[in-house]
Amino acid sequence: MKLKVNREFLFKHLFAFVVFLGLGGLFAYDGLVRYPATPAPALYASIEGSEAPEGSAAMLEGFKAQKVRTQRIFALLGLLAAAGVGVHLLLACRLDFSFDDDGFVCNGVRRAYADIERVDTSAWEKKSILVLIGKEWKITLDAWHFAGVKDFFEKVKNRG
């Protein structure tokens, strides 16, 4: 049997990726295009909902600079969050794991059940996370990330 990425996990992470990417893009547009092109009094009025005070050009320019900087920081945070979610999803999708009655294959390396020195099930009850530990390797499988982990756990649990 081959482990497959759980559809719920995949769709929720794709949704989060798109939302973070969209927010990062919107903040980037405001911080790089819209806010710099808007005169300071008009920017103040659009954000604060009231007319800018008379004779406060220096204050308005400081207000504009702060708002531009804030939008750029939010853009960076949104794009970093999208990258983090995207990398996590890509790594999960790249896992190639299958198993049968004799052992398992993880990313092209075949191992027998006897090669497992220890099975860490401390997070199994709460989170359905299984950690296989061998002589020079460690594999973590999460049942929320992958469909089939519970079947694999039964094989590991019943191994000789």
mmCIF file with all atom_site columns, all heavy atoms in Angstrom, residues 23-38:
data_model
loop_
_atom_site.group_PDB
_atom_site.id
_atom_site.type_symbol
_atom_site.label_atom_id
_atom_site.label_alt_id
_atom_site.label_comp_id
_atom_site.label_asym_id
_atom_site.label_entity_id
_atom_site.label_seq_id
_atom_site.pdbx_PDB_ins_code
_atom_site.Cartn_x
_atom_site.Cartn_y
_atom_site.Cartn_z
_atom_site.occupancy
_atom_site.B_iso_or_equiv
_atom_site.pdbx_formal_charge
_atom_site.auth_seq_id
_atom_site.auth_comp_id
_atom_site.auth_asym_id
_atom_site.auth_atom_id
_atom_site.pdbx_PDB_model_num
ATOM 1   N N   . LEU A 1 23 ? -2.820 38.117 0.202  1.00 0.00 ? 23 LEU A N   1
ATOM 2   C CA  . LEU A 1 23 ? -2.613 39.217 1.146  1.00 0.00 ? 23 LEU A CA  1
ATOM 3   C C   . LEU A 1 23 ? -1.258 39.876 0.939  1.00 0.00 ? 23 LEU A C   1
ATOM 4   O O   . LEU A 1 23 ? -1.147 41.108 0.956  1.00 0.00 ? 23 LEU A O   1
ATOM 5   C CB  . LEU A 1 23 ? -2.746 38.712 2.583  1.00 0.00 ? 23 LEU A CB  1
ATOM 6   C CG  . LEU A 1 23 ? -4.160 38.383 3.050  1.00 0.00 ? 23 LEU A CG  1
ATOM 7   C CD1 . LEU A 1 23 ? -4.125 37.705 4.412  1.00 0.00 ? 23 LEU A CD1 1
ATOM 8   C CD2 . LEU A 1 23 ? -5.016 39.635 3.091  1.00 0.00 ? 23 LEU A CD2 1
ATOM 9   N N   . GLY A 1 24 ? -0.229 39.059 0.742  1.00 0.00 ? 24 GLY A N   1
ATOM 10  C CA  . GLY A 1 24 ? 1.102  39.609 0.482  1.00 0.00 ? 24 GLY A CA  1
ATOM 11  C C   . GLY A 1 24 ? 1.104  40.474 -0.764 1.00 0.00 ? 24 GLY A C   1
ATOM 12  O O   . GLY A 1 24 ? 1.709  41.553 -0.794 1.00 0.00 ? 24 GLY A O   1
ATOM 13  N N   . GLY A 1 25 ? 0.398  40.019 -1.800 1.00 0.00 ? 25 GLY A N   1
ATOM 14  C CA  . GLY A 1 25 ? 0.317  40.799 -3.041 1.00 0.00 ? 25 GLY A CA  1
ATOM 15  C C   . GLY A 1 25 ? -0.433 42.111 -2.848 1.00 0.00 ? 25 GLY A C   1
ATOM 16  O O   . GLY A 1 25 ? -0.017 43.157 -3.368 1.00 0.00 ? 25 GLY A O   1
ATOM 17  N N   . LEU A 1 26 ? -1.539 42.067 -2.105 1.00 0.00 ? 26 LEU A N   1
ATOM 18  C CA  . LEU A 1 26 ? -2.294 43.297 -1.855 1.00 0.00 ? 26 LEU A CA  1
ATOM 19  C C   . LEU A 1 26 ? -1.480 44.305 -1.042 1.00 0.00 ? 26 LEU A C   1
ATOM 20  O O   . LEU A 1 26 ? -1.454 45.505 -1.356 1.00 0.00 ? 26 LEU A O   1
ATOM 21  C CB  . LEU A 1 26 ? -3.598 42.976 -1.124 1.00 0.00 ? 26 LEU A CB  1
ATOM 22  C CG  . LEU A 1 26 ? -4.685 42.307 -1.956 1.00 0.00 ? 26 LEU A CG  1
ATOM 23  C CD1 . LEU A 1 26 ? -5.842 41.878 -1.062 1.00 0.00 ? 26 LEU A CD1 1
ATOM 24  C CD2 . LEU A 1 26 ? -5.176 43.233 -3.049 1.00 0.00 ? 26 LEU A CD2 1
ATOM 25  N N   . PHE A 1 27 ? -0.830 43.817 0.008  1.00 0.00 ? 27 PHE A N   1
ATOM 26  C CA  . PHE A 1 27 ? 0.005  44.716 0.809  1.00 0.00 ? 27 PHE A CA  1
ATOM 27  C C   . PHE A 1 27 ? 1.170  45.259 -0.017 1.00 0.00 ? 27 PHE A C   1
ATOM 28  O O   . PHE A 1 27 ? 1.545  46.433 0.117  1.00 0.00 ? 27 PHE A O   1
ATOM 29  C CB  . PHE A 1 27 ? 0.528  44.011 2.059  1.00 0.00 ? 27 PHE A CB  1
ATOM 30  C CG  . PHE A 1 27 ? -0.509 43.793 3.121  1.00 0.00 ? 27 PHE A CG  1
ATOM 31  C CD1 . PHE A 1 27 ? -0.734 42.527 3.640  1.00 0.00 ? 27 PHE A CD1 1
ATOM 32  C CD2 . PHE A 1 27 ? -1.262 44.841 3.631  1.00 0.00 ? 27 PHE A CD2 1
ATOM 33  C CE1 . PHE A 1 27 ? -1.686 42.311 4.624  1.00 0.00 ? 27 PHE A CE1 1
ATOM 34  C CE2 . PHE A 1 27 ? -2.216 44.646 4.619  1.00 0.00 ? 27 PHE A CE2 1
ATOM 35  C CZ  . PHE A 1 27 ? -2.433 43.371 5.116  1.00 0.00 ? 27 PHE A CZ  1
ATOM 36  N N   . ALA A 1 28 ? 1.747  44.418 -0.866 1.00 0.00 ? 28 ALA A N   1
ATOM 37  C CA  . ALA A 1 28 ? 2.857  44.866 -1.719 1.00 0.00 ? 28 ALA A CA  1
ATOM 38  C C   . ALA A 1 28 ? 2.373  45.943 -2.688 1.00 0.00 ? 28 ALA A C   1
ATOM 39  O O   . ALA A 1 28 ? 3.068  46.947 -2.912 1.00 0.00 ? 28 ALA A O   1
ATOM 40  C CB  . ALA A 1 28 ? 3.461  43.688 -2.481 1.00 0.00 ? 28 ALA A CB  1
ATOM 41  N N   . TYR A 1 29 ? 1.205  45.761 -3.264 1.00 0.00 ? 29 TYR A N   1
ATOM 42  C CA  . TYR A 1 29 ? 0.657  46.769 -4.179 1.00 0.00 ? 29 TYR A CA  1
ATOM 43  C C   . TYR A 1 29 ? 0.474  48.102 -3.453 1.00 0.00 ? 29 TYR A C   1
ATOM 44  O O   . TYR A 1 29 ? 0.859  49.163 -3.967 1.00 0.00 ? 29 TYR A O   1
ATOM 45  C CB  . TYR A 1 29 ? -0.666 46.291 -4.772 1.00 0.00 ? 29 TYR A CB  1
ATOM 46  C CG  . TYR A 1 29 ? -1.317 47.336 -5.645 1.00 0.00 ? 29 TYR A CG  1
ATOM 47  C CD1 . TYR A 1 29 ? -0.842 47.582 -6.929 1.00 0.00 ? 29 TYR A CD1 1
ATOM 48  C CD2 . TYR A 1 29 ? -2.385 48.097 -5.175 1.00 0.00 ? 29 TYR A CD2 1
ATOM 49  C CE1 . TYR A 1 29 ? -1.414 48.556 -7.728 1.00 0.00 ? 29 TYR A CE1 1
ATOM 50  C CE2 . TYR A 1 29 ? -2.968 49.067 -5.960 1.00 0.00 ? 29 TYR A CE2 1
ATOM 51  C CZ  . TYR A 1 29 ? -2.481 49.303 -7.236 1.00 0.00 ? 29 TYR A CZ  1
ATOM 52  O OH  . TYR A 1 29 ? -3.046 50.271 -8.025 1.00 0.00 ? 29 TYR A OH  1
ATOM 53  N N   . ASP A 1 30 ? -0.109 48.046 -2.251 1.00 0.00 ? 30 ASP A N   1
ATOM 54  C CA  . ASP A 1 30 ? -0.306 49.289 -1.487 1.00 0.00 ? 30 ASP A CA  1
ATOM 55  C C   . ASP A 1 30 ? 1.029  49.934 -1.125 1.00 0.00 ? 30 ASP A C   1
ATOM 56  O O   . ASP A 1 30 ? 1.190  51.148 -1.255 1.00 0.00 ? 30 ASP A O   1
ATOM 57  C CB  . ASP A 1 30 ? -1.103 49.021 -0.213 1.00 0.00 ? 30 ASP A CB  1
ATOM 58  C CG  . ASP A 1 30 ? -2.595 48.879 -0.467 1.00 0.00 ? 30 ASP A CG  1
ATOM 59  O OD1 . ASP A 1 30 ? -3.047 49.186 -1.587 1.00 0.00 ? 30 ASP A OD1 1
ATOM 60  O OD2 . ASP A 1 30 ? -3.308 48.447 0.465  1.00 0.00 ? 30 ASP A OD2 1
ATOM 61  N N   . GLY A 1 31 ? 1.980  49.130 -0.659 1.00 0.00 ? 31 GLY A N   1
ATOM 62  C CA  . GLY A 1 31 ? 3.250  49.681 -0.178 1.00 0.00 ? 31 GLY A CA  1
ATOM 63  C C   . GLY A 1 31 ? 4.222  50.089 -1.268 1.00 0.00 ? 31 GLY A C   1
ATOM 64  O O   . GLY A 1 31 ? 5.099  50.921 -1.042 1.00 0.00 ? 31 GLY A O   1
ATOM 65  N N   . LEU A 1 32 ? 4.083  49.512 -2.453 1.00 0.00 ? 32 LEU A N   1
ATOM 66  C CA  . LEU A 1 32 ? 5.028  49.817 -3.532 1.00 0.00 ? 32 LEU A CA  1
ATOM 67  C C   . LEU A 1 32 ? 4.431  50.697 -4.631 1.00 0.00 ? 32 LEU A C   1
ATOM 68  O O   . LEU A 1 32 ? 5.172  51.383 -5.329 1.00 0.00 ? 32 LEU A O   1
ATOM 69  C CB  . LEU A 1 32 ? 5.549  48.524 -4.158 1.00 0.00 ? 32 LEU A CB  1
ATOM 70  C CG  . LEU A 1 32 ? 6.321  47.600 -3.218 1.00 0.00 ? 32 LEU A CG  1
ATOM 71  C CD1 . LEU A 1 32 ? 6.600  46.256 -3.885 1.00 0.00 ? 32 LEU A CD1 1
ATOM 72  C CD2 . LEU A 1 32 ? 7.623  48.264 -2.787 1.00 0.00 ? 32 LEU A CD2 1
ATOM 73  N N   . VAL A 1 33 ? 3.099  50.680 -4.778 1.00 0.00 ? 33 VAL A N   1
ATOM 74  C CA  . VAL A 1 33 ? 2.477  51.417 -5.888 1.00 0.00 ? 33 VAL A CA  1
ATOM 75  C C   . VAL A 1 33 ? 1.487  52.469 -5.390 1.00 0.00 ? 33 VAL A C   1
ATOM 76  O O   . VAL A 1 33 ? 1.678  53.668 -5.607 1.00 0.00 ? 33 VAL A O   1
ATOM 77  C CB  . VAL A 1 33 ? 1.761  50.433 -6.863 1.00 0.00 ? 33 VAL A CB  1
ATOM 78  C CG1 . VAL A 1 33 ? 1.062  51.185 -7.982 1.00 0.00 ? 33 VAL A CG1 1
ATOM 79  C CG2 . VAL A 1 33 ? 2.749  49.425 -7.430 1.00 0.00 ? 33 VAL A CG2 1
ATOM 80  N N   . ARG A 1 34 ? 0.424  52.020 -4.744 1.00 0.00 ? 34 ARG A N   1
ATOM 81  C CA  . ARG A 1 34 ? -0.680 52.914 -4.420 1.00 0.00 ? 34 ARG A CA  1
ATOM 82  C C   . ARG A 1 34 ? -0.312 53.999 -3.408 1.00 0.00 ? 34 ARG A C   1
ATOM 83  O O   . ARG A 1 34 ? -0.546 55.192 -3.656 1.00 0.00 ? 34 ARG A O   1
ATOM 84  C CB  . ARG A 1 34 ? -1.864 52.096 -3.916 1.00 0.00 ? 34 ARG A CB  1
ATOM 85  C CG  . ARG A 1 34 ? -3.124 52.932 -3.835 1.00 0.00 ? 34 ARG A CG  1
ATOM 86  C CD  . ARG A 1 34 ? -4.340 52.105 -3.467 1.00 0.00 ? 34 ARG A CD  1
ATOM 87  N NE  . ARG A 1 34 ? -5.050 52.873 -2.463 1.00 0.00 ? 34 ARG A NE  1
ATOM 88  C CZ  . ARG A 1 34 ? -5.499 52.404 -1.339 1.00 0.00 ? 34 ARG A CZ  1
ATOM 89  N NH1 . ARG A 1 34 ? -5.347 51.154 -1.021 1.00 0.00 ? 34 ARG A NH1 1
ATOM 90  N NH2 . ARG A 1 34 ? -6.113 53.179 -0.489 1.00 0.00 ? 34 ARG A NH2 1
ATOM 91  N N   . TYR A 1 35 ? 0.214  53.610 -2.254 1.00 0.00 ? 35 TYR A N   1
ATOM 92  C CA  . TYR A 1 35 ? 0.521  54.602 -1.226 1.00 0.00 ? 35 TYR A CA  1
ATOM 93  C C   . TYR A 1 35 ? 1.592  55.599 -1.681 1.00 0.00 ? 35 TYR A C   1
ATOM 94  O O   . TYR A 1 35 ? 1.427  56.801 -1.464 1.00 0.00 ? 35 TYR A O   1
ATOM 95  C CB  . TYR A 1 35 ? 0.944  53.928 0.078  1.00 0.00 ? 35 TYR A CB  1
ATOM 96  C CG  . TYR A 1 35 ? -0.197 53.345 0.902  1.00 0.00 ? 35 TYR A CG  1
ATOM 97  C CD1 . TYR A 1 35 ? -1.443 53.075 0.348  1.00 0.00 ? 35 TYR A CD1 1
ATOM 98  C CD2 . TYR A 1 35 ? -0.021 53.058 2.235  1.00 0.00 ? 35 TYR A CD2 1
ATOM 99  C CE1 . TYR A 1 35 ? -2.470 52.532 1.102  1.00 0.00 ? 35 TYR A CE1 1
ATOM 100 C CE2 . TYR A 1 35 ? -1.050 52.515 3.003  1.00 0.00 ? 35 TYR A CE2 1
ATOM 101 C CZ  . TYR A 1 35 ? -2.264 52.258 2.421  1.00 0.00 ? 35 TYR A CZ  1
ATOM 102 O OH  . TYR A 1 35 ? -3.293 51.727 3.181  1.00 0.00 ? 35 TYR A OH  1
ATOM 103 N N   . PRO A 1 36 ? 2.700  55.162 -2.294 1.00 0.00 ? 36 PRO A N   1
ATOM 104 C CA  . PRO A 1 36 ? 3.691  56.147 -2.738 1.00 0.00 ? 36 PRO A CA  1
ATOM 105 C C   . PRO A 1 36 ? 3.143  57.131 -3.785 1.00 0.00 ? 36 PRO A C   1
ATOM 106 O O   . PRO A 1 36 ? 3.588  58.280 -3.845 1.00 0.00 ? 36 PRO A O   1
ATOM 107 C CB  . PRO A 1 36 ? 4.813  55.295 -3.336 1.00 0.00 ? 36 PRO A CB  1
ATOM 108 C CG  . PRO A 1 36 ? 4.703  53.990 -2.640 1.00 0.00 ? 36 PRO A CG  1
ATOM 109 C CD  . PRO A 1 36 ? 3.229  53.793 -2.431 1.00 0.00 ? 36 PRO A CD  1
ATOM 110 N N   . ALA A 1 37 ? 2.186  56.713 -4.599 1.00 0.00 ? 37 ALA A N   1
ATOM 111 C CA  . ALA A 1 37 ? 1.640  57.582 -5.646 1.00 0.00 ? 37 ALA A CA  1
ATOM 112 C C   . ALA A 1 37 ? 0.556  58.524 -5.126 1.00 0.00 ? 37 ALA A C   1
ATOM 113 O O   . ALA A 1 37 ? 0.183  59.477 -5.809 1.00 0.00 ? 37 ALA A O   1
ATOM 114 C CB  . ALA A 1 37 ? 1.073  56.726 -6.781 1.00 0.00 ? 37 ALA A CB  1
ATOM 115 N N   . THR A 1 38 ? 0.048  58.280 -3.925 1.00 0.00 ? 38 THR A N   1
ATOM 116 C CA  . THR A 1 38 ? -1.030 59.093 -3.360 1.00 0.00 ? 38 THR A CA  1
ATOM 117 C C   . THR A 1 38 ? -0.444 60.257 -2.575 1.00 0.00 ? 38 THR A C   1
ATOM 118 O O   . THR A 1 38 ? 0.444  60.058 -1.741 1.00 0.00 ? 38 THR A O   1
ATOM 119 C CB  . THR A 1 38 ? -1.908 58.222 -2.417 1.00 0.00 ? 38 THR A CB  1
ATOM 120 O OG1 . THR A 1 38 ? -2.372 57.085 -3.136 1.00 0.00 ? 38 THR A OG1 1
ATOM 121 C CG2 . THR A 1 38 ? -3.090 59.007 -1.881 1.00 0.00 ? 38 THR A CG2 1
#
